[in-house]
Amino acid sequence: MKVEGFSTLLVIFSSFKVCEVHCSQKMKNMSNLLDGLLHGYDKRVRPYSKSGPVTVNADILLRSMGPISELEMSYSLDCYFRQTWVDKRLSMNISLENVSLGIKILERIWHPDTVFYNGHNSYLHIITTPNKFLRISPDGGILYSQRLTIRANCMMNLKKFPLDVQQCPLRIGSFAYSTADVFYKWRAKLTSPVDIYPHLTLSTFDLIGYPMTNYTDIVKGELHSILAVKFYLRRHAGYFIIQVYVPCALLVVLSWVSFWINREATADRIALGTTTTLTMTILGIENRNDFPKVSYITALDLYIAVCFVFVLSTTVEFAIVHSFTKYGTGEPLLPESTDDEESEEENMNLSGKCDLEVLEMERMKIEGHNKRRSKSFLALLCQCLTGTKTGFNRVKTGTVGLHDLSNSVSQIDKVSRVLFPVVFIVLNLIYWFAYMP
């Protein structure tokens, strides 16, 4: 039994030893093969083929997108950018499907000088090592993959901001080679040459489409092959509705309260109109600092301007109403009575005449004074409840009747109570119907 166990261990050890020798020999053969392929290889010369220019097939796997800046007219994306081309000088007579190699070999072979024409401040990820990958097939096909963060220009049209849909392009091509040397195509074997990571979300936009195309255009005086993809981005309007639209609409509604305030209350209506106008001005100025500074009017500017006009119109409306208010119908004061002073004078004149007739006259004067004060208080209470003041000249004289306390609301105020809300609602319907994407 011990001899059989020892024999089994010897066989296993011999197998490992043979495998190690075989793998070492295989790696040595591969190294010799690569050295033989690169012997006499000139990386300065592009691969030649019977069809003419080298065809470079490209595809993109989008990992994340953002931030998207309206102030700088740019956007960023993190992606895997892959290119494939065929270099017959690297064809190998081996049984392997493909060979994965280190990135150092890129320094010894030709590869396309691909650039992003509308990119700026882009970079390659180098943590923990440069994020590059190279694979060579036996027929000379090369797959070159990189992980990049691309920051590209996007000239946005903000006339419908913040209810807009932006088109941000990404243009890819060769820096030096014209169409006579290098021709770019989207990788046709894939379902989509531009693919998106599952559950990709953006903070302020929705990615609703990304059509691709390839075309030729003149770059630096020569015809270049260009790959292009347009990212269609629809903006989230929720933030702007909460921060701008709703406060502006509430300020407009608050300004309408003045239509129900009595027209003789000049101080109250002017204070309300001034407060809402200043608040509307501050709201428009503060929010403007965070928005793009463009020379044309945006949808948000238009809405703020309309709300400002409505708020200002309430103050102008009161000025018109006040011009038709009769003189002397301002806010009354309680009638000042001089009965006490008259009583003191009469008492001084009637000192020594303390008979029953004098006492009766004093009692009647006190009852008349209290009666007039009660009438004045009743008139003021009725005016406070109805919001109107009429006949206050009669109040001062103590000849006010209930028929004199009729409603004196201006006809302009009555019309404004209906006209302003109706016009504002209609303009809102037109606005949202015209600007909603």
Side-chain angles (χ1 to χ4, degrees):
M1 293 295 293
K2 292 183 178 180
V3 174
E4 291 180 358
F6 180 76
S7 300
T8 304
L9 291 175
L10 185 60
V11 170
I12 294 174
F13 179 76
S14 300
S15 300
F16 277 115
K17 193 65 176 178
V18 171
C19 182
E20 182 181 355
V21 171
H22 178 71
C23 292
S24 177
Q25 185 66 30
K26 186 177 180 180
M27 293 176 62
K28 185 177 180 181
N29 292 338
M30 182 60 65
S31 299
N32 293 333
L33 179 62
L34 290 175
D35 290 337
L37 289 174
L38 297 177
H39 181 70
Y41 185 96
D42 191 352
K43 68 175 184 179
R44 298 171 297 178
V45 181
R46 70 169 181 85
Y48 283 91
S49 63
K50 296 180 180 179
S51 59
V54 178
T55 301
V56 178
N57 297 283
D59 66 278
I60 297 174
L61 176 58
L62 194 62
R63 291 172 45 88
S64 63
M65 197 168 187
I68 301 169
S69 174
E70 300 85 5
L71 297 177
E72 298 180 2
M73 294 289 183
S74 65
Y75 70 100
S76 299
L77 55 90
D78 182 9
C79 68
Y80 290 116
F81 180 61
R82 295 185 285 247
Q83 305 172 80
T84 62
W85 67 94
V86 177
D87 190 345
K88 292 297 184 179
R89 294 175 294 179
L90 298 177
S91 298
M92 298 177 289
N93 186 15
I94 58 175
S95 59
L96 296 177
E97 183 178 352
N98 51 63
V99 178
S100 298
L101 302 173
I103 60 173
K104 289 294 184 179
I105 198 172
L106 281 172
E107 301 174 359
R108 302 177 62 184
I109 65 173
W110 179 93
H111 55 277
D113 56 345
T114 306
V115 295
F116 301 95
Y117 288 126
N118 61 323
H120 65 95
N121 293 335
S122 303
Y123 60 89
L124 171 74
H125 289 256
I126 58 173
I127 305 297
T128 55
T129 59
N131 295 182
K132 295 180 180 181
F133 175 76
L134 187 69
R135 179 181 294 165
I136 301 179
S137 302
D139 61 350
I142 300 174
L143 171 63
Y144 178 34
S145 178
Q146 302 167 281
R147 184 186 173 189
L148 306 173
T149 291
I150 304 169
R151 190 175 183 185
N153 295 323
C154 178
M155 302 308 297
M156 302 181 185
N157 184 355
L158 299 171
K159 291 183 178 179
K160 291 187 176 183
F161 175 86
L163 307 173
D164 53 340
V165 175
Q166 297 298 335
Q167 303 177 20
C168 291
L170 182 64
R171 294 188 292 271
I172 307 167
S174 174
F175 179 78
Y177 293 109
S178 65
T179 53
D181 296 313
V182 176
F183 194 84
Y184 284 86
K185 290 184 179 180
W186 288 112
R187 202 170 174 186
K189 294 182 180 181
L190 300 177
T191 305
S192 175
V194 178
D195 202 5
I196 307 295
Y197 251 46
H199 312 297
L200 174 65
T201 57
L202 287 76
S203 59
T204 56
F205 288 88
D206 283 329
L207 182 60
I208 58 176
Y210 41 93
M212 297 151 286
T213 184
N214 59 323
Y215 61 95
T216 55
D217 197 3
I218 296 177
V219 179
K220 296 183 292 185
E222 292 186 345
L223 201 61
H224 283 237
S225 175
I226 299 174
L227 297 179
V229 54
K230 280 188 178 180
F231 298 103
Y232 284 82
L233 303 168
R234 181 172 58 200
R235 193 186 306 274
H236 297 161
Y239 170 82
F240 301 96
I241 290 175
I242 295 173
Q243 296 292 328
V244 181
Y245 285 98
V246 172
C248 288
L250 291 178
L251 282 174
V252 173
V253 174
L254 179 63
S255 68
W256 297 340
V257 176
S258 64
F259 301 148
W260 279 267
I261 299 177
N262 188 19
R263 62 178 177 176
E264 286 84 11
T266 306
D268 298 337
R269 295 187 68 164
I270 288 295
L272 180 61
T274 304
T275 302
T276 52
T277 302
L278 291 176
T279 306
M280 192 73 213
T281 304
I282 294 172
L283 183 63
I285 293 175
E286 286 188 351
N287 287 320
R288 188 65 180 173
N289 294 331
D290 298 329
F291 299 153
K293 297 174 177 61
V294 292
S295 59
Y296 49 83
I297 187 170
T298 64
L300 186 63
D301 296 333
L302 179 61
Y303 191 86
I304 294 176
V306 169
C307 291
F308 185 83
V309 169
F310 269 90
V311 170
L312 189 62
S313 297
T314 59
T315 305
V316 175
E317 185 269 349
F318 171 66
I320 298 173
V321 170
H322 189 69
S323 65
F324 290 101
T325 302
K326 294 181 180 180
Y327 178 77
T329 59
E331 297 181 4
L333 299 173
L334 288 175
E336 297 179 358
S337 175
T338 59
D339 291 341
D340 295 338
E341 297 177 359
E342 294 175 359
S343 298
E344 291 179 1
E345 293 177 359
E346 291 179 3
N347 288 334
M348 292 176 63
N349 295 331
L350 296 176
S351 58
K353 296 182 179 180
C354 296
D355 53 8
L356 295 176
E357 183 179 356
V358 174
L359 293 175
E360 183 67 20
M361 291 175 62
E362 291 296 325
R363 185 182 65 79
M364 292 177 63
K365 288 180 180 179
I366 294 172
E367 290 179 355
H369 172 67
N370 292 335
K371 185 175 181 181
R372 287 194 298 272
R373 290 184 64 88
S374 65
K375 285 184 178 180
S376 300
F377 176 76
L378 180 63
L380 290 173
L381 180 62
C382 186
Q383 175 268 326
C384 182
L385 294 176
T386 58
T388 60
K389 304 183 185 76
T390 56
F392 279 101
N393 290 330
R394 295 188 183 92
V395 171
K396 294 179 181 179
T397 59
T399 60
V400 177
L402 293 177
H403 64 280
D404 294 322
L405 299 175
S406 59
N407 198 332
S408 67
V409 177
S410 171
Q411 292 297 323
I412 300 177
D413 278 341
K414 290 182 178 180
V415 173
S416 299
R417 293 174 184 177
V418 178
L419 182 62
F420 274 65
V422 170
V423 174
F424 187 69
I425 291 172
V426 171
L427 289 179
N428 267 274
L429 292 175
I430 295 173
Y431 176 89
W432 291 106
F433 180 78
Y435 283 106
M436 280 298 289

